[in-house]
Amino acid sequence: MKPPKQAPPESMALSADEVRRLSAWLESHDGDPCADAISLCLDTGLRRSELAGLRVGDYNRAFGQIKVARVLVETRGGVVEKEPKSGTSKRWVPVPGTAGERLSRHIESQRERLAENGVAQGDSTPMFATDGGAAVRPSDLTAAFRAAADAAGLPKRHHLHSLRHTYATYLLSTGTSFKEAQELLGHASATTTLNVYGHVVPGRKTDAADAYIRWREGK
């Protein structure tokens, strides 16, 4: 029996209304480590393992960028820190505007929260930490998203990775090149991005063909 076909990425992306509802819920939980991590995921398209692997020192506030340098993966033996899945997965991702402001607030509120529990926050502290200073587990982020999605009234088909699809779909549908999207998403190549998201912008092929015919006919 053939496995069921997966839904195309754009069908898993959140609609504008769903983004607004989820964002409103996340804003009402500003300062919660999981809610702040989910908000960053929505704003940057980071993978779950990348979010869990971030450290405070990975955020360059002056340039409004965050460095993806490691991932956290859950195994039977516990949580394991690993290198990103490919060389291109190691990257700097912009965190502009209100996204950067929220991340800065999170870092400061986390500093205070950890201090109350006798933990000093430094550059090597997990970006999203428990009260004891340990990194929030990837599965915790999944569970937190489910709770947030249910509270915001999102359909059950959405999961944390849907936020990555939302980010990618928006980038490509608003004119970002596949090469630029590949660099932001950390795909191994632009071909990977094209294979996964090429159908998000089907009109580009027609536009390119039309432009060629106009050029050939001297128009």
Side-chain angles (χ1 to χ4, degrees), residues 56-196:
V56 171
D58 292 329
Y59 179 44
N60 186 319
R61 193 174 308 191
F63 288 93
Q65 294 182 323
I66 199 159
K67 178 174 64 176
V68 177
R70 70 200 68 77
V71 298
L72 288 189
V73 179
E74 290 187 67
T75 68
R76 291 182 178 179
V79 179
V80 178
E81 182 179 297
K82 293 185 176 183
E83 290 281 310
K85 61 189 300 183
S86 68
T88 51
S89 291
K90 283 188 174 182
R91 64 198 187 280
W92 285 94
V93 179
V95 188
T98 56
E101 292 170 6
R102 175 161 187 168
L103 187 58
S104 295
R105 289 198 308 274
H106 164 77
I107 291 172
E108 294 309 313
S109 65
Q110 178 169 277
R111 185 191 308 280
E112 297 173 1
R113 175 167 56 85
L114 293 181
E116 292 174 356
N117 290 279
V119 180
Q121 177 170 280
D123 284 349
S124 61
T125 301
M127 179 68 76
F128 303 105
T130 64
D131 290 346
V136 168
R137 298 165 67 97
S139 58
D140 293 335
L141 296 177
T142 297
F145 174 80
R146 184 71 269 146
D150 288 345
L154 270 58
K156 293 293 185 182
R157 70 174 180 274
H158 290 315
H159 45 76
L160 186 58
H161 204 70
S162 298
L163 304 189
R164 181 171 169 83
H165 291 313
T166 303
Y167 181 73
T169 300
Y170 180 82
L171 289 178
L172 293 168
S173 64
T174 54
T176 302
S177 71
F178 282 103
K179 179 60 177 175
E180 291 171 321
Q182 175 248 326
E183 292 172 352
L184 288 167
L185 294 165
H187 284 155
S189 69
T191 301
T192 301
T193 310
L194 177 61
N195 288 340
V196 177

